[in-house]
Amino acid sequence: MNPTQTQERLRFNMIEQQIRPWDVLDLEILDLLATIRREDYVPRAHRALAFFDMEIPLRDGSVAGQFMLSPKVEARMLQDLHIQKNESVLEIGTGSGFMAALLAHRAAQVLTLEIDGELAEAATTTLARNGITNVEVRHTDGSKPLPSGPSFDVIVLSGSVARMPQNLLGSLKVGGRIAAIVGDEPMMRAHFATRVSEGKWETTQPWDTVAPRLLNFPEPSRFSF
């Protein structure tokens, strides 16, 4: 088996053995994962791990927020958000740019925020090299309140937080959805909140996982008096 065949076999196994068993059954999502070359977004030192069921460090000595999420978590979040072709998406935590590439194929426009300047620059280069033209990578701290102005149909947090960020809820359009992995190790839950009216959100928590922390989002005090 030549290297290309080996790579495609690993990709096939990732989809069939990791992603499908996690209830990702949307054929368009599965086709997307078969088409977009995940290995292109993995640092060269870790490329052999591109299709493994694990978070992949993006920098040597990576701290929280500097990891690619596992393939099954990326796929399940993408599926459960039900993104439409006319929608705008905000991603917090660009990382390698792989999730942004997936989002770009589902949405009209993606704005993705990355706190690490080197990662933001690398993701911009990789997305351009792969012909992704409807993503803007912005080097900024996604934990800070957004400037007043644009609101989004979909917001994705590509990492975990202690609680759902209230300022981001206000940046959703009515009918918009936000996805975040919320809680503390060893058990976190995926939260999907939909803005059903100006002042009302409905939240579901359909599955459990664990993911690295995004940087600078508030952590609750561990002490009470």
Side-chain angles (χ1 to χ4, degrees):
M1 191 177 289
N2 65 41
T4 300
Q5 290 173 319
T6 301
Q7 202 88 310
E8 292 311 312
R9 171 56 59 181
L10 289 170
R11 194 187 323 279
F12 177 84
N13 290 344
M14 175 188 74
I15 292 168
E16 296 301 321
Q17 296 173 12
Q18 298 174 41
I19 293 172
R20 275 187 190 272
W22 243 49
D23 291 331
V24 180
L25 304 174
D26 184 316
L27 293 180
E28 289 187 8
I29 302 277
L30 296 174
D31 286 345
L32 197 55
L33 291 160
T35 303
I36 296 182
R37 291 167 51 88
R38 193 171 197 267
E39 63 274 24
D40 289 350
Y41 294 84
V42 176
R44 189 173 301 278
H46 301 298
R47 202 150 287 174
L49 304 175
F51 306 109
F52 282 59
D53 183 13
M54 61 182 291
E55 289 93 25
I56 297 176
L58 296 173
R59 299 278 295 275
D60 291 337
S62 279
V63 296
Q66 295 182 330
F67 289 81
M68 289 180 74
L69 295 177
S70 68
K72 67 187 183 188
V73 170
E74 293 168 327
R76 185 69 189 270
M77 290 182 81
L78 190 66
Q79 173 182 266
D80 291 0
L81 281 165
H82 304 291
I83 299 167
Q84 305 299 309
K85 280 290 187 183
N86 64 334
E87 291 187 318
S88 61
V89 179
L90 171 69
E91 181 192 21
I92 309 295
T94 311
S96 71
F98 180 67
M99 188 65 172
L102 294 174
L103 294 165
H105 281 80
R106 302 287 290 175
Q109 195 69 34
V110 178
L111 171 62
T112 178
L113 310 182
E114 174 53 55
I115 194 171
D116 184 301
E118 288 185 28
L119 290 180
E121 185 177 349
T124 300
T125 300
T126 306
L127 288 161
R129 188 188 304 126
N130 285 278
I132 309 292
T133 59
N134 61 331
V135 174
E136 177 192 348
V137 181
R138 191 175 295 174
H139 173 211
T140 191
D141 184 349
S143 72
K144 303 299 185 217
L146 296 171
S148 59
S151 53
F152 300 89
D153 297 294
V154 175
I155 300 176
V156 182
L157 277 68
S158 288
S160 69
V161 288
R163 57 170 66 94
M164 183 70 83
Q166 296 302 302
N167 64 301
L168 291 177
L169 290 174
S171 295
L172 281 178
K173 296 177 182 177
V174 173
R177 290 88 65 208
I178 182 171
I181 297 166
V182 180
D184 297 290
E185 293 193 65
M187 182 63 72
M188 303 176 186
R189 293 192 70 85
H191 286 52
F192 292 83
T194 301
R195 188 171 196 170
V196 294
S197 67
E198 284 297 326
K200 185 179 179 183
W201 292 261
E202 292 180 351
T203 302
T204 61
Q205 302 174 24
W207 39 274
D208 297 334
T209 190
V210 173
R213 273 287 192 256
L214 289 171
L215 295 175
N216 294 350
F217 281 89
E219 294 288 338
S221 171
R222 301 292 180 190
F223 302 99
S224 57
F225 297 95

